[in-house]
């Protein structure tokens, strides 16, 4: 049990949030697959061997109450599961330049479902920021999740990742922060081949440029344009 309040709603917490969706990990590494080994790399340690989708290393030490971790955000998790599965199974396979229409992925309520995808990554971004003990304010992310509204400061970019051909899942990169920007800017790329999702979080005062194919629910479209991912550590 953590003695810190839930970062989303403020309630006493007793849960640790998963760093990577278990479903993503199972999608990439089906159950019983012996020839794959799964590694996690993050700012604390590189290539840490994981023992399965429930491995403790997939969890972050971030206080989230059970209600926020399950009931509140379950529709967001489901929406990302659906989009992620669609991108993995796309035929022909996705490539840089592919245009993904939300209403092809979600037969109904495509805008609402894409908002939920955005909110799924709002939770991931908040957990990531807190996990690395960054001083960036996560309150706008919590407000968005609580209110079921888009976070004005969070932009997503979906890219075709390079097929690295080995069973490594890169769960987290270093937050892209510098002395000048570290209180107002965070950027993080979540890679589950063949998809890379780059999260750019910019608070007031940040001059950090947005990627050309950034998507935000307030753009009024559910259309995603996949780019090539070019800047990986
Ligand atoms: Zn909570």
């Amino acid at each position: 049990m953590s003695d810190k309040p839930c970062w989303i709603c403020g309630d006493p917490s007793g849960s640790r949030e998963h760093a990577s969706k278990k479903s993503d990990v199972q999608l990439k590494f089906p159950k019983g697959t012996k020839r794959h080994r799964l590694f996690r790399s993050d700012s604390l340690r590189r290539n840490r061997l994981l023992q399965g989708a429930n491995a403790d290393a997939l969890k972050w030490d971030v206080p989230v109450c059970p209600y926020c971790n399950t009931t509140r955000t379950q529709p967001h998790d489901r929406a990302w599961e659906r989009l992620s599965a669609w991108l993995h199974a796309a035929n022909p396979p996705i490539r840089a330049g592919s245009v993904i229409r939300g209403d092809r992925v979600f037969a109904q309520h495509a805008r609402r479902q894409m908002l939920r995808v955005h909110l799924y990554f709002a939770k991931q971004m908040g957990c990531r920021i807190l996990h690395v003990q960054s001083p960036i304010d996560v309150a706008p992310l919590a407000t968005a999740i609580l209110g079921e509204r888009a976070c004005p400061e969070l932009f997503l970019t979906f890219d075709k990742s390079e097929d690295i051909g080995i069973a490594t899942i890169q769960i987290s990169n270093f937050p892209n922060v510098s002395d000048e920007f570290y209180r107002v800017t965070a950027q993080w790329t979540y890679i589950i081949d063949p998809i890379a999702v780059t999260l750019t979080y910019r608070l007031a005062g940040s001059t950090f440029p947005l990627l050309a194919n950034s998507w935000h629910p307030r753009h009024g479209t559910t259309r995603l344009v996949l780019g090539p991912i070019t800047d990986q550590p």
Side-chain angles (χ1 to χ4, degrees), residues 6-11 64-69 72:
C6 170
W7 76 267
I8 296 173
C9 73
D11 279 0
V64 181
C65 76
Y67 182 82
C68 286
N69 201 26
R72 189 189 304 283

PDB file of all heavy atoms in Angstrom, residues 6-11 64-69 72, ligand 1:
ATOM      1  N   CYS A   6      -4.022   9.149  -4.435  1.00  0.00           N
ATOM      2  CA  CYS A   6      -4.140   8.885  -5.879  1.00  0.00           C
ATOM      3  C   CYS A   6      -3.868  10.174  -6.645  1.00  0.00           C
ATOM      4  O   CYS A   6      -4.454  11.210  -6.351  1.00  0.00           O
ATOM      5  CB  CYS A   6      -5.552   8.381  -6.158  1.00  0.00           C
ATOM      6  SG  CYS A   6      -5.956   8.292  -7.908  1.00  0.00           S
ATOM      7  N   TRP A   7      -3.007  10.098  -7.643  1.00  0.00           N
ATOM      8  CA  TRP A   7      -2.646  11.333  -8.368  1.00  0.00           C
ATOM      9  C   TRP A   7      -3.793  11.841  -9.224  1.00  0.00           C
ATOM     10  O   TRP A   7      -3.830  13.010  -9.592  1.00  0.00           O
ATOM     11  CB  TRP A   7      -1.380  11.158  -9.186  1.00  0.00           C
ATOM     12  CG  TRP A   7      -1.473  10.378 -10.474  1.00  0.00           C
ATOM     13  CD1 TRP A   7      -1.244   9.035 -10.634  1.00  0.00           C
ATOM     14  CD2 TRP A   7      -1.801  10.879 -11.774  1.00  0.00           C
ATOM     15  NE1 TRP A   7      -1.422   8.683 -11.947  1.00  0.00           N
ATOM     16  CE2 TRP A   7      -1.760   9.792 -12.677  1.00  0.00           C
ATOM     17  CE3 TRP A   7      -2.122  12.135 -12.277  1.00  0.00           C
ATOM     18  CZ2 TRP A   7      -2.035   9.913 -14.040  1.00  0.00           C
ATOM     19  CZ3 TRP A   7      -2.396  12.263 -13.645  1.00  0.00           C
ATOM     20  CH2 TRP A   7      -2.351  11.169 -14.506  1.00  0.00           C
ATOM     21  N   ILE A   8      -4.747  10.971  -9.510  1.00  0.00           N
ATOM     22  CA  ILE A   8      -5.857  11.406 -10.373  1.00  0.00           C
ATOM     23  C   ILE A   8      -6.976  12.038  -9.543  1.00  0.00           C
ATOM     24  O   ILE A   8      -7.398  13.160  -9.822  1.00  0.00           O
ATOM     25  CB  ILE A   8      -6.380  10.223 -11.218  1.00  0.00           C
ATOM     26  CG1 ILE A   8      -5.271   9.740 -12.163  1.00  0.00           C
ATOM     27  CG2 ILE A   8      -7.631  10.643 -12.013  1.00  0.00           C
ATOM     28  CD1 ILE A   8      -5.598   8.463 -12.929  1.00  0.00           C
ATOM     29  N   CYS A   9      -7.459  11.345  -8.504  1.00  0.00           N
ATOM     30  CA  CYS A   9      -8.640  11.849  -7.789  1.00  0.00           C
ATOM     31  C   CYS A   9      -8.339  12.315  -6.368  1.00  0.00           C
ATOM     32  O   CYS A   9      -9.195  12.921  -5.730  1.00  0.00           O
ATOM     33  CB  CYS A   9      -9.738  10.793  -7.762  1.00  0.00           C
ATOM     34  SG  CYS A   9      -9.361   9.431  -6.644  1.00  0.00           S
ATOM     35  N   GLY A  10      -7.146  12.012  -5.848  1.00  0.00           N
ATOM     36  CA  GLY A  10      -6.792  12.455  -4.508  1.00  0.00           C
ATOM     37  C   GLY A  10      -7.152  11.477  -3.396  1.00  0.00           C
ATOM     38  O   GLY A  10      -6.839  11.722  -2.229  1.00  0.00           O
ATOM     39  N   ASP A  11      -7.810  10.380  -3.716  1.00  0.00           N
ATOM     40  CA  ASP A  11      -8.183   9.395  -2.686  1.00  0.00           C
ATOM     41  C   ASP A  11      -6.958   8.605  -2.211  1.00  0.00           C
ATOM     42  O   ASP A  11      -5.973   8.499  -2.929  1.00  0.00           O
ATOM     43  CB  ASP A  11      -9.208   8.410  -3.251  1.00  0.00           C
ATOM     44  CG  ASP A  11     -10.613   8.984  -3.243  1.00  0.00           C
ATOM     45  OD1 ASP A  11     -10.779  10.140  -2.807  1.00  0.00           O
ATOM     46  OD2 ASP A  11     -11.527   8.265  -3.691  1.00  0.00           O
ATOM     47  N   VAL A  64      -2.060   5.283  -7.634  1.00  0.00           N
ATOM     48  CA  VAL A  64      -3.352   5.382  -8.322  1.00  0.00           C
ATOM     49  C   VAL A  64      -4.327   4.529  -7.527  1.00  0.00           C
ATOM     50  O   VAL A  64      -4.009   3.386  -7.197  1.00  0.00           O
ATOM     51  CB  VAL A  64      -3.274   4.847  -9.771  1.00  0.00           C
ATOM     52  CG1 VAL A  64      -4.624   4.990 -10.470  1.00  0.00           C
ATOM     53  CG2 VAL A  64      -2.211   5.566 -10.564  1.00  0.00           C
ATOM     54  N   CYS A  65      -5.489   5.070  -7.175  1.00  0.00           N
ATOM     55  CA  CYS A  65      -6.438   4.285  -6.385  1.00  0.00           C
ATOM     56  C   CYS A  65      -7.076   3.202  -7.260  1.00  0.00           C
ATOM     57  O   CYS A  65      -7.104   3.334  -8.486  1.00  0.00           O
ATOM     58  CB  CYS A  65      -7.494   5.181  -5.750  1.00  0.00           C
ATOM     59  SG  CYS A  65      -8.766   5.753  -6.887  1.00  0.00           S
ATOM     60  N   PRO A  66      -7.574   2.138  -6.658  1.00  0.00           N
ATOM     61  CA  PRO A  66      -8.160   1.053  -7.464  1.00  0.00           C
ATOM     62  C   PRO A  66      -9.297   1.536  -8.357  1.00  0.00           C
ATOM     63  O   PRO A  66      -9.430   1.071  -9.482  1.00  0.00           O
ATOM     64  CB  PRO A  66      -8.664   0.070  -6.401  1.00  0.00           C
ATOM     65  CG  PRO A  66      -7.785   0.325  -5.216  1.00  0.00           C
ATOM     66  CD  PRO A  66      -7.509   1.810  -5.233  1.00  0.00           C
ATOM     67  N   TYR A  67     -10.094   2.486  -7.885  1.00  0.00           N
ATOM     68  CA  TYR A  67     -11.210   2.954  -8.715  1.00  0.00           C
ATOM     69  C   TYR A  67     -10.693   3.626  -9.989  1.00  0.00           C
ATOM     70  O   TYR A  67     -11.158   3.339 -11.094  1.00  0.00           O
ATOM     71  CB  TYR A  67     -12.113   3.919  -7.937  1.00  0.00           C
ATOM     72  CG  TYR A  67     -13.300   4.369  -8.773  1.00  0.00           C
ATOM     73  CD1 TYR A  67     -14.436   3.560  -8.886  1.00  0.00           C
ATOM     74  CD2 TYR A  67     -13.269   5.562  -9.477  1.00  0.00           C
ATOM     75  CE1 TYR A  67     -15.508   3.936  -9.690  1.00  0.00           C
ATOM     76  CE2 TYR A  67     -14.338   5.949 -10.278  1.00  0.00           C
ATOM     77  CZ  TYR A  67     -15.448   5.138 -10.380  1.00  0.00           C
ATOM     78  OH  TYR A  67     -16.499   5.515 -11.179  1.00  0.00           O
ATOM     79  N   CYS A  68      -9.719   4.522  -9.827  1.00  0.00           N
ATOM     80  CA  CYS A  68      -9.173   5.207 -11.011  1.00  0.00           C
ATOM     81  C   CYS A  68      -8.443   4.232 -11.919  1.00  0.00           C
ATOM     82  O   CYS A  68      -8.478   4.360 -13.142  1.00  0.00           O
ATOM     83  CB  CYS A  68      -8.229   6.331 -10.592  1.00  0.00           C
ATOM     84  SG  CYS A  68      -9.093   7.771  -9.941  1.00  0.00           S
ATOM     85  N   ASN A  69      -7.779   3.262 -11.310  1.00  0.00           N
ATOM     86  CA  ASN A  69      -6.969   2.339 -12.105  1.00  0.00           C
ATOM     87  C   ASN A  69      -7.823   1.357 -12.886  1.00  0.00           C
ATOM     88  O   ASN A  69      -7.369   0.828 -13.899  1.00  0.00           O
ATOM     89  CB  ASN A  69      -6.013   1.579 -11.178  1.00  0.00           C
ATOM     90  CG  ASN A  69      -4.832   1.009 -11.924  1.00  0.00           C
ATOM     91  OD1 ASN A  69      -4.437   1.528 -12.963  1.00  0.00           O
ATOM     92  ND2 ASN A  69      -4.277  -0.077 -11.408  1.00  0.00           N
ATOM     93  N   ARG A  72     -12.729   3.738 -13.525  1.00  0.00           N
ATOM     94  CA  ARG A  72     -12.750   5.046 -14.177  1.00  0.00           C
ATOM     95  C   ARG A  72     -12.087   5.013 -15.559  1.00  0.00           C
ATOM     96  O   ARG A  72     -12.567   5.635 -16.499  1.00  0.00           O
ATOM     97  CB  ARG A  72     -12.043   6.091 -13.295  1.00  0.00           C
ATOM     98  CG  ARG A  72     -12.214   7.514 -13.820  1.00  0.00           C
ATOM     99  CD  ARG A  72     -11.359   8.532 -13.103  1.00  0.00           C
ATOM    100  NE  ARG A  72     -11.529   8.589 -11.663  1.00  0.00           N
ATOM    101  CZ  ARG A  72     -12.557   9.167 -11.029  1.00  0.00           C
ATOM    102  NH1 ARG A  72     -13.526   9.716 -11.726  1.00  0.00           N
ATOM    103  NH2 ARG A  72     -12.609   9.177  -9.720  1.00  0.00           N
TER     104      ARG A  72
HETATM  105 ZN1  LIG B   1      -8.234   7.817  -7.776  1.00  0.00          ZN
END
